[in-house]
Structure formats: C-alpha cells, structure tokens
C-alpha cells in the first residue's frame, strides 16, 4: 500500500434500525451507532432500502424544530415532501438532494410524497446533520432543493461511470450545494469494474456508505451494500473499485474543532445556548408551521 494512502479504520455494518416518525426506518451509523470521528458531519441516519405498502395517508415526521446545523437528505428510492416555517417547500425524488440550513431556528416536517404514498414501493434515503461553525449557527435559515439533473457530474469513463458532486469539489468539478465549511459530498455511480480515486487532506474526517453493490477499497478491504467504511486521519489518497454495479456515498470534511452541546433537535456549543434554543422555541421564535 502506498505511503500516502488514507487507510481504512473500520468497515462497519449497519446498527439495529429504529423508526423516525412512521416513515423512516433508519440505521444510525453515528453518533449513537458507532463512536467515530466524522465532524463536521454530526449524524448519519441511513434508511436502507425497504418496501412501503400503499397508503392514502402519507407516513412521515410531523412538525419539529432545529437550530445550529443543516439537514441534508439524499434520495435514492421513493419521494419525500418537505415544508418549513421559512416558507420553503419541495419534493425530492430519486437522485435529488434537499439541503436545509436550520441555523438560528426553523420548524419543518417531512412526509412521503402523496403519489408515492398511494402507490408504495421501494424507499431508500440518507439524512445527514452537518454541524455549523459557531460564527454561523445564528445565521438566517435557507433551503437548497437540488434536482438530480442539476447536480454537477464528473464523467470517469465512456461506460457511464461518474461522480456526482453534491458539495465540495472533485478534481475540477465544483459541487452544486453551498456550504459553510469545507465539505465534500459525492455519489459515485460505478459499473462493475469501474474505478474512482479520491484525494482528501489527511486531517479531514472521511467515510463511505455503500448504497448499492459491492466495492474494494485501496485494493484491500471489501465493503458490501449498507456498510459504512471509516478512514483514519492519515494519508490522502483513496481508490475504490466496483466489484458489481455500485452506488457509493462519499463524505469528507474539515473537522469543526469547537465544543458541542446537543439536546434533541438542537446542536450548539454550550449548555446555555441549548437553554436559549428551548426558550426561543417555546416562545414561538422559530416561526409557525401547520401540522397538516
């Protein structure tokens, strides 16, 4: 193995699932599933592929608050409708991304999209919580709804192997989402035998989610569908090869080396800021959003 290879720390199988509302059956890889360093990514909920039966009343999660971070939802199967108290709404379909900056405070709700709910079918999503630096935690909320066709793509081969650059930069291809700190979020879509190489600073926390397929990492470890590959904070280069047709979510970012205070849906720096968030929420300062 080359000296500058970013070596694998662990290949992690999904923890036991739990329900978020009645619409999301998730495996929490971190922070509760595994105690691994992934800042600025604070949480990774992975809804492995599951079939939902047809239903007239959409499943989902009702109105709830957030402050101090961003929620990033990446759709692979199924469809989710979003509404928030800043007046944003949108539906994400397979390949789409919803990037919501809660920042100083927002209420939102997420439900299966009505037509998908009536038909049922496969459902597979990733939701990330991306921490914000202290200086940005009280900035205005915003919403980026990014359609699959608008995601920047870096073509790797004539066979259709490609890197979708959701955020950050891959070689000379700049990502579609704006971020508050240096973050790389990619989808690698590789045919069997397809290869991709990545280069991230040694200090960046880095991991891969195998959404579909089976890959070999750095000519050594093999990772299967639904597993998470975590890397050591040393070396810079990663190579992956698809052992079958594969989709891989790549996460790498510069750690935010600041204290963290977390309580439920609030992610701040101090206990006092958490108390203030609760107080502001109770006083209606996060706005208003109807349940239905």
């Amino acid at each position: 193995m080359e000296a500058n290879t970013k070596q694998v720390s662990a290949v992690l199988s999904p923890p036991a699932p739990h329900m978020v509302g009645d619409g999301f059956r998730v495996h929490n890889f971190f922070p509760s599933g595994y105690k691994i360093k992934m800042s600025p990514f604070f949480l990774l909920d992975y809804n492995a592929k599951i079939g939902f039966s047809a239903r007239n009343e959409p499943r989902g999660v009702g109105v709830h608050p957030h402050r101090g971070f961003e929620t990033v939802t990446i759709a692979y199967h199924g469809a989710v409708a979003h509404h928030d108290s800043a007046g944003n709404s949108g539906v994400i379909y397979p390949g789409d991304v919803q990037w919501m900056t809660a920042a100083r405070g927002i209420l939102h709700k997420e439900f299966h999209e009505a037509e998908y709910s009536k038909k049922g079918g496969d459902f597979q999503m990733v939701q990330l919580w991306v921490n914000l630096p202290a200086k940005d935690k009280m900035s205005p909320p915003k919403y980026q709804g990014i359609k699959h066709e608008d995601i920047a793509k870096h073509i790797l081969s004539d066979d259709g192997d490609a890197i979708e650059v959701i955020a950050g930069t891959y070689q000379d291809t700049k990502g579609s989402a704006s971020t508050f700190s240096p973050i790389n979020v990619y989808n690698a879509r590789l045919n069997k035998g397809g290869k991709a190489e990545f280069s991230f600073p040694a200090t960046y926390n880095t991991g891969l989610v195998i959404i579909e397929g089976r890959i070999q990492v750095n000519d050594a470890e093999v990772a299967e569908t639904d597993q998470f590959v975590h890397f050591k904070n040393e070396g810079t280069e990663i190579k992956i090869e698809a052992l079958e047709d594969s989709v891989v979510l790549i996460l790498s970012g510069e750690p935010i080396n600041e204290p963290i205070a977390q309580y439920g849906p609030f992610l701040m720096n101090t206990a006092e800021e958490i108390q203030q968030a609760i107080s502001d929420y109770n006083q209606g300062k996060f706005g208003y959003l109807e349940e239905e």
Side-chain angles (χ1 to χ4, degrees):
M1 192 176 287
E2 297 172 19
N4 61 348
T5 296
K6 191 181 278 288
Q7 294 187 28
V8 170
S9 162
V11 177
L12 305 170
S13 292
H18 67 275
M19 293 300 295
V20 176
D22 65 355
F24 305 93
R25 179 182 179 271
V26 302
H27 306 270
N28 182 260
F29 274 104
F30 57 84
S32 62
Y34 295 98
K35 303 302 179 190
I36 53 178
K37 290 197 297 182
M38 277 300 294
S39 173
F41 307 99
F42 178 79
L43 173 147
L44 192 165
D45 270 347
Y46 173 52
N47 192 128
K49 190 191 289 185
I50 184 175
F52 279 106
S53 58
R55 184 164 136 171
N56 285 328
E57 189 70 26
R59 301 171 174 88
V61 184
V63 176
H64 58 285
H66 289 305
R67 173 179 278 183
F69 63 100
E70 303 180 289
T71 65
V72 179
T73 306
I74 305 168
Y76 297 97
H77 293 278
V80 168
H82 161 94
H83 294 84
D84 68 44
S85 57
N88 302 301
S89 63
V91 176
I92 53 171
Y93 296 98
D96 298 347
V97 177
Q98 173 186 289
W99 197 296
M100 186 190 79
T101 305
R104 69 186 178 209
I106 205 166
L107 306 177
H108 81 143
K109 58 185 179 181
E110 302 155 288
F111 283 90
H112 293 184
E113 185 271 332
E115 289 308 309
Y116 163 76
S117 190
K118 287 174 185 172
K119 294 175 185 172
D122 285 345
F123 191 87
Q124 186 178 25
M125 304 261 166
V126 166
Q127 186 170 91
L128 303 164
W129 288 15
V130 179
N131 193 16
L132 290 174
K135 66 182 178 60
D136 298 313
K137 282 188 179 292
M138 297 299 284
S139 57
K142 69 175 185 176
Y143 177 81
Q144 302 173 79
I146 307 168
K147 293 295 181 189
H148 186 225
E149 60 266 26
D150 296 328
I151 294 175
K153 293 178 178 62
H154 186 101
I155 306 302
L156 296 172
S157 74
D158 295 338
D159 295 332
D161 299 318
I163 306 295
E164 297 173 352
V165 189
I166 297 167
T169 304
Y170 180 78
Q171 296 184 15
D172 57 353
T173 303
K174 191 168 183 344
S176 305
S178 65
T179 67
F180 287 81
S181 66
I183 298 170
N184 298 288
V185 180
Y186 316 144
N187 273 322
R189 297 184 184 269
L190 304 175
N191 296 302
K192 182 177 180 180
K195 298 179 181 180
E197 297 184 2
F198 307 93
S199 183
F200 302 119
T203 54
Y204 277 32
N205 291 322
T206 303
L208 314 176
V209 185
I210 317 308
I211 303 296
E212 192 177 297
R214 188 165 170 262
I215 66 167
Q216 186 170 51
V217 184
N218 296 334
D219 301 321
E221 285 87 357
V222 171
E224 314 264 353
T225 301
D226 299 340
Q227 289 187 318
F228 182 88
V229 182
H230 187 242
F231 292 86
K232 297 179 181 178
N233 291 103
E234 55 189 52
T236 57
E237 308 306 304
I238 297 170
K239 294 190 292 188
I240 65 173
E241 178 179 356
L243 302 178
E244 53 192 65
D245 293 354
S246 298
V247 179
V248 183
L249 175 64
I250 295 98
L251 307 171
S252 187
E254 182 178 70
I256 297 174
N257 293 314
E258 297 173 348
I260 284 180
Q262 186 242 340
Y263 177 79
F266 306 126
L267 185 57
M268 303 301 290
N269 298 104
T270 68
E272 291 76 17
E273 288 169 342
I274 292 291
Q275 291 300 322
Q276 188 64 54
I278 295 168
S279 174
D280 289 349
Y281 168 63
N282 288 334
Q283 291 178 51
K285 293 184 179 178
F286 285 36
Y288 175 75
L289 186 63
E290 285 189 21
E291 275 291 349
E292 275 305 312

